[in-house]
Amino acid sequence: MTWFKHEAKPIDRATIEEMIERTLTEAKERLGIASYTRVLLLPPDITRAHAGVGWMTEHFYNLLTEQGADVHLIPTLGQHVPHTPEDNRWMFGNIPEERIHVHDWKNGVTNVGTVPAEFVREQTGGAVDWEIPIDLNTMTVTEDWDLIINIGHVVPHEVLGYANHNKNYFIGLGGKRLLGSSHMASAVYGIENNLGNLITPVRHCFNYAEEHFLGDLKDLYFQVVMDYDDNSQLVHTGVYVGDDLDTYLDAARASKAQNITAFDEPVDKIVAVMQADEFRATWVANKAVYRTRMAIADGGELLVIAPGVERFGEQPEVDELIRKYGYLSQSEVLELYRTEADMQDIPHGTAHLVHGSSEGRFTITYAPGALSQEDIESVGYQYMSLENALERYNPDVMKDGWNEMPDGERVFYISTPSAGLWATKEKLGDR
């Protein structure tokens, strides 16, 4: 069960800090911890910094070190680019750099078990028939910790229905085999079948893995939910603390109620802005594609204004894969996947080719900071210069929601696509 939760709009920083203090007090009682000697903090990486998870992590760190604990931190990067020291200072404040460890998704993992192929097949309705090896960050699963604290933002997600909870382990601290098998399973099952569902097939598999392979860990989840206030500013609206699936479900139900915008009719044009200090590759900036694709009309357009984007993949080999094949439909990718060795070698990258495609339904236009028109068009997107995009759709002027331009063009503007899901009521169905 959820240990405790607080829901209000807004929840201020002081209240969240009080809840962090309460979390440490209750964890001792509930988990039988005499004193904090050695604690591991697992926050998201910089792509979720807007949720305030950095200062929350810093507050946990400060409180624990005041109690004499030896505290370490691993940003749950998955295969994203590691933080620079400057990134860490910006996100985590005064936490010393030597206490912040980089997750090595290729060489720094240990296998703790396997989700059987028959279980994966059952959860995906027969769409996927491979096992999922659970290779996790070695430091996390082999060293002794009095407590592991997962910190994060619960929001609609393209693979797991909603982000955070045990995603911190199985994506954020996963190895190459785990990342590849789970992302490809999601792509085969279908991104639009995952978005906004409380429990997706891959999350079923992760829940199985947590129950069977991580049961001995003393850990907890500190999760937040956010929503827009009357001034179109993202504010915290929920804090959910506990150590089981109910803690996730409570937060995910709140996110479902607050973070999904449902349209009666498809939208002809959406303009989305990806923040420069968080999104530097289309790999992560394509959240704009994932979160709006179910709202866009056939023949419509998505414009992604991404001043920080300077590459396609988070890793060189993934960048190369995207440049080689471009963003393709699910059927095209699955056909190539059968024969192409490079696709088979990095299936999480292959899955991204599907997730970043419009399946030919609508146009995706990118206005990037540091990719050329040739680069953008080579992967199947259309190009608009950043200068022209910012001049026409100035974020300082545009308002979240419907905007009518001086020439009569009507567009739906989204300032933070990573914070929600936009879809027609028809496509949402009964989620």
Side-chain angles (χ1 to χ4, degrees):
M1 59 178 286
T2 303
W3 293 0
F4 62 89
K5 64 183 178 182
H6 179 62
E7 296 176 324
K9 189 173 184 178
I11 303 174
D12 61 22
R13 178 166 176 165
T15 301
I16 294 175
E17 289 180 343
E18 289 173 4
M19 299 190 77
I20 290 171
E21 295 168 23
R22 179 181 173 184
T23 298
L24 294 178
T25 300
E26 290 209 13
K28 281 185 177 181
E29 300 169 358
R30 292 176 179 271
L31 300 178
I33 302 170
S35 62
Y36 292 121
T37 304
R38 202 158 183 269
V39 177
L40 180 63
L41 304 177
L42 300 178
D45 70 0
I46 198 170
T47 61
R48 299 192 187 277
H50 70 270
V53 288
W55 61 256
M56 294 174 203
T57 303
E58 182 184 19
H59 196 61
F60 269 115
Y61 179 89
N62 290 337
L63 290 173
L64 286 160
T65 53
E66 287 170 7
Q67 297 181 37
D70 176 24
V71 187
H72 296 262
L73 183 160
I74 308 175
T76 52
L77 295 166
Q79 57 81 56
H80 291 180
V81 171
H83 291 184
T84 64
E86 291 74 24
D87 291 335
N88 284 332
R89 282 194 295 274
W90 177 72
M91 186 167 179
F92 301 120
N94 68 3
I95 300 179
E97 181 68 17
E98 63 269 19
R99 294 285 167 165
I100 303 174
H101 305 272
V102 177
H103 171 59
D104 182 351
W105 63 290
K106 291 182 178 178
N107 303 307
V109 297
T110 297
N111 180 262
V112 298
T114 299
V115 179
E118 53 267 30
F119 186 84
V120 181
R121 187 183 305 113
E122 177 184 347
Q123 299 309 318
T124 59
V128 175
D129 61 357
W130 54 75
E131 65 184 24
I132 298 180
I134 305 300
D135 302 331
L136 297 179
N137 180 276
T138 298
M139 182 176 175
T140 302
V141 296
T142 64
E143 298 188 19
D144 291 329
W145 304 101
D146 299 313
L147 181 63
I148 298 175
I149 303 175
N150 288 277
I151 305 154
H153 180 199
V154 176
V155 66
H157 189 266
E158 54 279 2
V159 173
L160 295 172
Y162 290 84
N164 201 235
H165 196 251
N166 57 30
K167 175 181 181 288
N168 272 21
Y169 290 126
F170 303 115
I171 297 296
L173 298 179
K176 180 179 178 180
R177 295 191 305 167
L178 172 52
L179 291 168
S181 57
S182 59
H183 277 77
M184 199 63 194
S186 167
V188 172
Y189 186 72
I191 184 173
E192 293 187 7
N193 295 322
N194 296 316
L195 285 158
N197 273 316
L198 295 181
I199 303 287
T200 66
V202 173
R203 188 173 282 282
H204 268 300
C205 293
F206 288 175
N207 292 343
Y208 175 101
E210 182 175 18
E211 179 182 351
H212 285 78
F213 311 131
L214 300 185
D216 293 337
L217 294 182
K218 286 189 176 181
D219 61 357
L220 65 85
Y221 297 99
F222 187 95
Q223 303 172 130
V224 298
V225 170
M226 303 184 77
D227 193 11
Y228 291 97
D229 65 11
D230 294 338
N231 296 316
S232 296
Q233 299 297 311
L234 274 172
V235 296
H236 294 101
T237 57
V239 179
Y240 305 83
V241 180
D243 63 350
D244 64 2
L245 184 61
D246 284 339
T247 311
Y248 159 74
L249 290 172
D250 277 354
R253 290 188 184 105
S255 177
K256 179 175 180 287
Q258 297 174 39
N259 300 149
I260 298 179
T261 301
F263 297 93
D264 290 324
E265 300 293 335
V267 179
D268 288 327
K269 185 164 183 174
I270 291 178
V271 176
V273 175
M274 304 307 293
Q275 288 66 37
D277 51 8
E278 298 181 45
F279 304 101
R280 300 163 188 169
T282 59
W283 179 280
V284 288
N286 273 353
K287 290 179 188 293
V289 180
Y290 311 155
R291 307 297 176 76
T292 65
R293 59 183 297 134
M294 295 169 68
I296 300 174
D298 290 355
E301 181 184 10
L302 168 66
L303 170 62
V304 184
I305 301 176
V309 164
E310 58 189 16
R311 58 185 182 272
F312 292 112
E314 287 287 279
Q315 300 293 333
E317 60 268 44
V318 175
D319 193 88
E320 183 179 338
L321 190 81
I322 298 169
R323 289 177 182 274
K324 178 178 178 180
Y325 294 104
Y327 290 97
L328 302 170
S329 69
Q330 183 191 59
S331 60
E332 289 172 314
V333 168
L334 294 182
E335 182 65 31
L336 288 166
Y337 185 65
R338 295 188 180 97
T339 59
E340 300 302 315
D342 52 357
M343 281 190 167
Q344 295 167 6
D345 183 54
I346 44 175
H348 66 282
T350 303
H352 175 73
L353 304 182
V354 179
H355 288 167
S357 166
S358 72
E359 295 286 332
R361 279 205 313 106
F362 57 90
T363 298
I364 299 171
T365 303
Y366 248 90
L371 286 173
S372 69
Q373 180 172 352
E374 182 181 5
D375 288 332
I376 291 296
E377 292 177 349
S378 73
V379 300
Y381 292 158
Q382 291 191 2
Y383 176 85
M384 185 175 190
S385 74
L386 182 62
E387 181 182 10
N388 288 345
L390 291 174
E391 181 179 358
R392 179 167 178 80
Y393 307 104
N394 185 345
D396 294 332
V397 176
M398 302 287 284
K399 297 180 179 179
D400 277 282
W402 290 107
N403 291 255
E404 186 163 333
M405 310 310 294
D407 61 2
E409 182 188 35
R410 190 166 182 257
V411 303
F412 193 88
Y413 177 79
I414 303 173
S415 62
T416 315
S418 58
L421 173 65
W422 291 259
T424 62
K425 293 177 180 176
E426 180 183 2
K427 287 205 170 183
L428 281 173
D430 185 20
R431 306 223 161 194

